Structure formats: structure tokens, C-alpha cells
């Protein structure tokens, strides 16, 4: 995921695709979420001690909360950039955009398959899974945008898809944020 993130950022700048860059931003949050989830699981397995009589299991919830906040900020940034693009559209290289988005979708589908079973038992892994799912849907959106731009020349589709990705992420992030806070507050 991290390796492809770097490729996607470079391709986003080369193709001038905001949708591809927004997908790269989601890939960044995916990579961070996966790393945080793994560390949180390891720390969560530590035994209780005198200062933490219930152990470290809440660390996973803190990780889920952090991932939700990070994804929320990325979605807001995407919406801001899209607003800028409506007034200053860029020339999009749709073929390169499409190739990178298809590879990204394949990587996301592999990540989702790996995370799915564990996402049913852990809110922390569920957060990582939801980020990968949203990124996979973002990749589909980028592919559709690239096809439309290639055949019609409508470069504004790139910005619209970036906005749709942002609006797709926000409600799911809000749900994860609410669940995490509810658990931390012992609701």
C-alpha cells in the first residue's frame, strides 16, 4: 500500500488529476491506519499492570479514533482542493490516470480481503478496513472519471469525482468517530 501510494502521488502530479491525488491521500491514510492498527493490536495484548488495571485494550480504540480524525481531515482537504479546481481547472492526462487507478483498485481489493475477517471482531481493524473500502470506491470513481475525460474531454469530471470521494468518506468517518468516542466514554 505504501509503495503504491508513492507511485500514485507521482502519477497524480504528472497527470494533474485531483481525483487521483485524493485517492493517493486515502492511500496514505490506509497505510497509516494499517500501521496504527497493527501497533495498537500489539500494545492491546500487553497484560494489565498496577497503573492500567484493565490492561491496554483501549489503545485499539484510541487508534480507531485517531484514524477517524485523520480520515476526516483528508476528506476536508480534498473538498477544499476541489473548490480551488472549480475556479482553476487543470489539463488532465486521463490514460495515465486510468492505469494508476486500476492498479490502485487491485491493491485495495487485496487489502480488503486480508482485513475483512478481523474487521468483524475489532473496531480498530474495522477502521482500517473502512479506509481501504473507501479508497477502493475512490479508485472506481477515478477510473470512471478517467474514462469520461478520455472520451469526452470533460476535465471537470475529475473535480466532481474528488468531491464525491470526499462526501463518501465523511459520513463513514463520522460513524467510526462516534463509535470510538462512545466506547471511550463507556457508553
Amino acid at each position: 500500500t505504501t509503495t503504491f501510494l508513492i507511485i500514485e502521488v507521482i502519477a497524480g502530479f504528472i497527470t494533474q488529476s485531483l481525483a487521483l491525488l485524493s485517492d493517493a491521500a486515502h492511500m496514505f491514510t490506509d497505510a497509516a491506519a494499517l500501521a496504527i492498527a497493527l501497533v495498537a493490536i500489539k500494545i492491546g495484548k500487553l497484560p494489565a499492570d498496577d497503573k492500567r488495571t484493565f490492561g491496554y485494550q483501549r489503545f485499539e480504540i484510541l487508534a480507531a479514533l485517531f484514524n477517524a480524525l485523520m480520515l476526516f481531515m483528508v476528506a476536508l482537504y480534498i473538498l477544499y482542493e476541489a473548490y480551488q479546481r472549480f475556479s482553476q481547472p487543470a489539463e488532465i492526462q486521463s490514460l495515465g490516470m486510468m492505469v494508476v487507478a486500476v492498479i490502485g483498485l487491485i491493491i485495495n481489493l487485496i487489502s480488503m480481503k486480508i482485513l475483512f475477517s478481523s474487521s468483524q471482531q475489532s473496531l480498530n481493524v474495522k477502521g482500517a478496513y473502512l479506509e481501504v473500502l473507501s479508497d477502493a470506491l475512490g479508485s472506481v470513481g477515478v477510473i470512471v472519471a478517467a474514462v469520461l475525460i478520455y472520451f469526452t474531454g470533460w476535465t471537470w469530471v475529475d473535480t466532481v469525482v474528488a468531491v464525491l470521494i470526499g462526501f463518501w468518506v465523511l459520513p463513514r468517518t463520522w460513524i467510526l468517530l462516534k463509535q470510538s468516542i462512545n466506547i471511550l466514554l463507556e457508553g
Side-chain angles (χ1 to χ4, degrees):
T1 300
T2 303
T3 302
F4 189 73
L5 156 70
I6 295 166
I7 293 167
E8 198 168 37
V9 167
I10 293 168
F13 282 112
I14 291 171
T15 63
Q16 293 295 308
S17 168
L18 181 60
L20 196 56
L21 287 172
S22 70
D23 197 41
H26 285 216
M27 275 243 160
F28 171 75
T29 59
D30 293 346
L34 294 171
I36 290 167
L38 180 61
V39 169
I41 289 168
K42 296 292 184 191
I43 291 174
K45 290 180 181 179
L46 293 173
D49 57 28
D50 292 337
K51 289 184 178 180
R52 288 159 212 86
T53 57
F54 290 101
Y56 291 84
Q57 292 177 344
R58 294 280 169 128
F59 195 80
E60 285 191 55
I61 304 305
L62 288 173
L65 178 66
F66 179 76
N67 283 336
L69 289 172
M70 187 170 51
L71 193 55
F72 196 77
M73 296 305 294
V74 167
L76 290 177
Y77 176 75
I78 290 166
L79 294 174
Y80 171 76
E81 283 296 318
Y83 173 76
Q84 299 288 8
R85 285 280 178 105
F86 278 122
S87 61
Q88 298 174 350
E91 185 177 323
I92 311 293
Q93 296 177 18
S94 59
L95 194 56
M97 176 181 163
M98 186 177 351
V99 169
V100 173
V102 167
I103 295 168
L105 178 61
I106 292 167
I107 290 170
N108 285 315
L109 292 174
I110 292 168
S111 295
M112 285 172 58
K113 184 174 175 27
I114 292 168
L115 291 171
F116 181 74
S117 63
S118 296
S119 72
Q120 305 304 308
Q121 291 94 15
S122 168
L123 188 60
N124 178 35
V125 177
K126 181 180 180 181
Y129 176 80
L130 288 175
E131 288 189 44
V132 175
L133 171 64
S134 70
D135 195 46
L137 292 171
S139 293
V140 170
V142 174
I143 292 166
V144 169
V147 169
L148 284 172
I149 293 167
Y150 183 79
F151 287 110
T152 66
W154 298 341
T155 57
W156 56 267
V157 172
D158 179 69
T159 305
V160 170
V161 167
V163 169
L164 291 174
I165 291 170
F167 282 132
W168 165 256
V169 169
L170 285 174
R172 278 133 197 86
T173 302
W174 180 250
I175 291 168
L176 180 61
L177 194 61
K178 278 182 19 181
Q179 287 177 328
S180 300
I181 291 170
N182 189 48
I183 290 171
L184 288 173
L185 295 176
E186 298 182 5

